[in-house]
Amino acid sequence: MKLSNVFALCCLLCGLAGNSAPAAESRNLLGAWLVQPRSAPGVLMSTATFTAKRDGVVGVWRANDGLSRYSITNVAVSGDIVSFKLADGNDSERWQGRFISDVELRIQPTDSDLPAAVTTLKRLSPGDLAKLQATQPTNLITHKVPLPALKDLPSNGLALTPPMGWNSWNHFLEAIDDRTVRETADALVSSGLRDVGYVYVNIDDGWQGRRDSKGELHSNSKFPDMKALADYIHSKGLKLGLYSSPGPVSCAGYVASHGYERRDADTFARWGVDYLKYDWCSAQQIYRSREEMRALYQKMGEALQATGRPIVYSLCQYGLFDVGSWGRKVGGNSWRISGDIVDSWASMSRNGFEPHDDPAIARPGSWNDPDMLEVGNGGMSEEEYRTHLTLWSIQAAPLILGNDVRTMSAPTLALLLNREVIAIDQDALGIQGKRALSREGTEIWTKPLKDHATAVALFNRGASAALVAVSWSDIGIAGARHVRDVWKHADLGQSEATYQVSIPAHGAVLLRVSTRS
Ligand code: GLA
């Protein structure tokens, strides 16, 4: 195996020392280090141990599977900067990084083409190591496994309009359980959200339990019977989504599908799962090339299709490696195009106004995904949440709610229930809208709709109210048009050539512009 993979895992080890490191620095670097998966404190993927030899510091990296072992040489430390070479006899790679403190190190390969491949290493005392080893998930495969030859999978025929539903992560993080999911399903029905299209009930990270000695993955004690939960959700006219990762562990450190793809896909299908979000995360500690990433996603895409059950396949890999050019080919129905959204104007604006995608790629069955919604979580104003939904709808983005729908306010529900806004997102043509004009903090975006209509979104990104005007001819619309404000459900009459409106700070207006009402 190429060491390349290793590192990531290994990296942790890196730690250490300097060629001719001064004694004090060398002492700080020696000992055991844990590779810390992102947001997964306590998961032991691999360790590195550094020892002082007569001619400098050397290290050894061991994966938690007990199979992989790499040597670390050429260790150098200068101030906070650390570098080393990782080798397995056939291959070697250089890594570099810095100490954040005496007990934490962040490093990455110097030749990486994977921007997010920064790995955190945490110092381990011998006692910590023993404790971790006693509580680790078992049967993790942390070395490279054979990957399928790349090919283009057929479409699964699903998600002909952008998926709509709810996901647990943005509001609940890992604090999710069977009861909360059932109550959420009930609330989706009683609130009317199901009936306007929000049908997927997606359990994100935190449902996974252990993998038994036969390789079968089980849910954890918070989800005592996943099949019964799926039955309940289906009985409400809803669909169940789950989350896993192509790496050995998920982002939050739970057992994931690496090396067990077929097995897990069969389990998901048997439970009655209708949607899988597949999150790169720890896979980046083993695989780092575009081909490997594509092959891993293809592997699960093939496994899902082989089950014969219709399962929407949602790729979550933060837009790395130009996923838009191959996401559909691995059977994907959507792919993330950015890092995680959080519930703030700045974060929502980054994901929504500055997407790193090619709008032309979106079409029925496969969608660019700027991440799940934060509407109703409390970090933005009602006006900003309206802008959030307008941006996602004009871009034909998946509309996956991220709030607690059991307790949402009436204004939040009113935003989410607006059928005319949803109709723009879900328009059958499946064309992703894009920015047409931008000036002084205001923007006009357009999206072609069926029946020769056009959705026109006017945004004010500024911190005070602004007059926003648009000439139809500037956005490719010829002649007079009937104009409807879809947020207000109000016909605005016939407009000859231009339209203008005062928009509050961080606000948006969404119009349906057509030849007749
Ligand atoms: C990543 C994803 C999030 C969420 C978490 C779960 O950060 O991007 O959407 O799924 O993992 O750990």
Side-chain angles (χ1 to χ4, degrees):
M1 135 188 349
K2 292 185 72 152
L3 338 175
S4 1
N5 348 331
V6 182
F7 348 21
L9 310 184
C10 27
C11 9
L12 31 94
L13 18 94
C14 25
L16 333 298
N19 297 340
S20 54
E25 285 184 350
S26 294
R27 277 198 298 275
N28 282 343
L29 295 171
L30 299 178
W33 295 77
L34 167 72
V35 174
Q36 177 82 78
R38 189 161 62 101
S39 75
V43 170
L44 176 58
M45 290 195 58
S46 53
T47 56
T49 314
F50 288 82
T51 321
K53 298 283 188 194
R54 237 198 344 229
D55 49 354
V57 171
V58 293
V60 63
W61 166 78
R62 289 184 195 84
N64 192 31
D65 61 4
L67 299 174
S68 313
R69 184 190 157 100
Y70 304 87
S71 68
I72 299 173
T73 56
N74 295 46
V75 179
V77 177
S78 170
D80 286 343
I81 306 297
V82 175
S83 65
F84 63 88
K85 189 167 100 176
L86 192 69
D88 73 348
N90 301 317
D91 196 8
S92 72
E93 268 199 15
R94 290 213 63 82
W95 280 65
Q96 192 170 41
R98 66 171 57 236
F99 279 89
I100 304 306
S101 69
D102 279 352
V103 296
E104 185 173 335
L105 197 55
R106 293 202 193 133
I107 56 163
Q108 62 191 130
T110 51
D111 58 351
S112 176
D113 42 5
L114 185 60
V118 177
T119 298
T120 301
L121 310 184
K122 298 269 189 171
R123 186 184 286 285
L124 278 173
S125 73
D128 291 340
L129 186 54
K131 261 191 251 157
L132 267 173
Q133 277 163 342
T135 59
Q136 286 315 295
T138 52
N139 302 337
L140 297 186
I141 298 175
T142 56
H143 57 85
K144 277 192 188 184
V145 299
L147 297 177
L150 296 181
K151 64 177 181 185
D152 294 1
L153 300 191
S155 158
N156 59 14
L158 303 172
L160 297 180
T161 61
M164 291 178 66
W166 170 90
N167 174 291
S168 52
W169 187 256
N170 283 358
H171 186 86
F172 295 94
L173 301 173
E174 292 162 65
I176 187 73
D177 55 22
D178 178 280
R179 181 173 169 183
T180 308
V181 173
R182 285 175 193 247
E183 289 175 359
T184 296
D186 294 347
L188 287 170
V189 176
S190 62
S191 63
L193 287 168
R194 176 198 63 186
D195 293 342
V196 296
Y198 299 96
V199 294
Y200 287 98
V201 179
N202 296 347
I203 307 170
D204 206 277
D205 216 350
W207 65 267
Q208 311 91 319
R210 69 194 174 87
R211 191 178 293 286
D212 67 24
S213 55
K214 295 187 192 123
E216 184 83 8
L217 181 58
H218 299 267
S219 48
N220 62 38
S221 59
K222 296 190 297 174
F223 293 92
D225 186 342
M226 200 57 95
K227 170 86 174 70
L229 179 57
D231 289 346
Y232 183 79
I233 284 171
H234 293 152
S235 77
K236 300 275 166 186
L238 297 163
K239 294 173 184 293
L240 173 64
L242 282 188
Y243 165 103
S244 191
S245 165
V249 293
S250 69
C251 284
Y254 295 83
V255 175
S257 298
H258 186 232
Y260 297 93
E261 292 83 359
R262 190 65 190 260
R263 192 74 192 247
D264 287 357
D266 288 346
T267 301
F268 300 153
R270 199 176 62 251
W271 284 342
V273 167
D274 307 292
Y275 182 116
L276 178 69
K277 173 174 168 182
Y278 207 43
D279 191 353
W280 187 236
C281 252
S282 66
Q284 78 181 27
Q285 298 184 340
I286 305 176
Y287 304 95
R288 293 184 306 104
S289 75
R290 171 197 176 106
E291 288 66 33
E292 288 172 326
M293 179 186 273
R294 178 172 163 185
L296 273 169
Y297 276 99
Q298 177 185 312
K299 201 171 180 200
M300 181 53 91
E302 289 186 276
L304 292 174
Q305 293 193 1
T307 67
R309 184 174 176 85
I311 300 177
V312 169
Y313 188 27
S314 160
L315 315 188
C316 178
Q317 40 74 283
Y318 339 116
L320 296 171
F321 289 133
D322 189 23
V323 60
S325 68
W326 53 264
R328 183 182 301 115
K329 298 176 180 175
V330 300
N333 295 110
S334 66
W335 40 84
R336 283 272 297 275
I337 53 171
S338 64
D340 287 9
I341 194 171
V342 297
D343 186 18
S344 72
W345 170 254
S347 170
M348 186 281 291
S349 296
R350 189 175 55 244
N351 280 24
F353 282 115
E354 315 299 344
H356 299 286
D357 65 353
D358 175 0
I361 285 167
R363 69 188 61 159
S366 43
W367 310 97
N368 289 306
D369 176 8
D371 206 356
M372 303 172 294
L373 298 168
E374 291 284 5
V375 179
N377 277 332
M380 287 181 260
S381 67
E382 187 180 333
E383 201 62 52
E384 290 168 337
Y385 284 138
R386 187 176 295 109
T387 297
H388 184 6
L389 278 170
T390 304
L391 255 180
W392 263 239
S393 298
I394 199 93
Q395 293 182 75
L399 296 180
I400 307 294
L401 309 175
N403 60 321
D404 185 350
V405 296
R406 302 169 307 171
T407 58
M408 68 193 147
S409 68
T412 293
L413 179 59
L415 287 176
L416 299 177
L417 279 178
N418 189 309
R419 286 177 187 267
E420 294 188 59
V421 174
I422 292 169
I424 286 175
D425 178 80
Q426 298 284 299
D427 184 81
L429 290 185
I431 298 175
Q432 179 174 332
K434 54 187 181 191
R435 182 185 284 110
L437 296 171
S438 125
R439 54 191 167 224
E440 293 164 13
T442 67
E443 301 192 4
I444 314 284
W445 291 52
T446 59
K447 177 184 197 292
L449 304 174
K450 66 181 181 184
D451 300 330
H452 309 294
T454 307
V456 180
L458 300 87
F459 296 104
N460 173 14
R461 296 178 66 175
S464 52
L467 194 64
V468 185
V470 57
S471 303
W472 300 142
S473 60
D474 285 350
I475 55 174
I477 296 177
R481 284 295 188 274
H482 180 84
V483 180
R484 182 170 172 82
D485 182 325
V486 300
W487 277 117
K488 291 187 173 156
H489 302 298
D491 281 330
L492 305 180
Q494 191 88 353
S495 162
E496 291 302 322
T498 61
Y499 173 79
Q500 68 172 35
V501 60
S502 174
I503 304 183
H506 294 181
V509 167
L510 184 56
L511 305 175
R512 185 173 191 280
V513 178
S514 57
T515 46
R516 57 192 138 102
S517 51

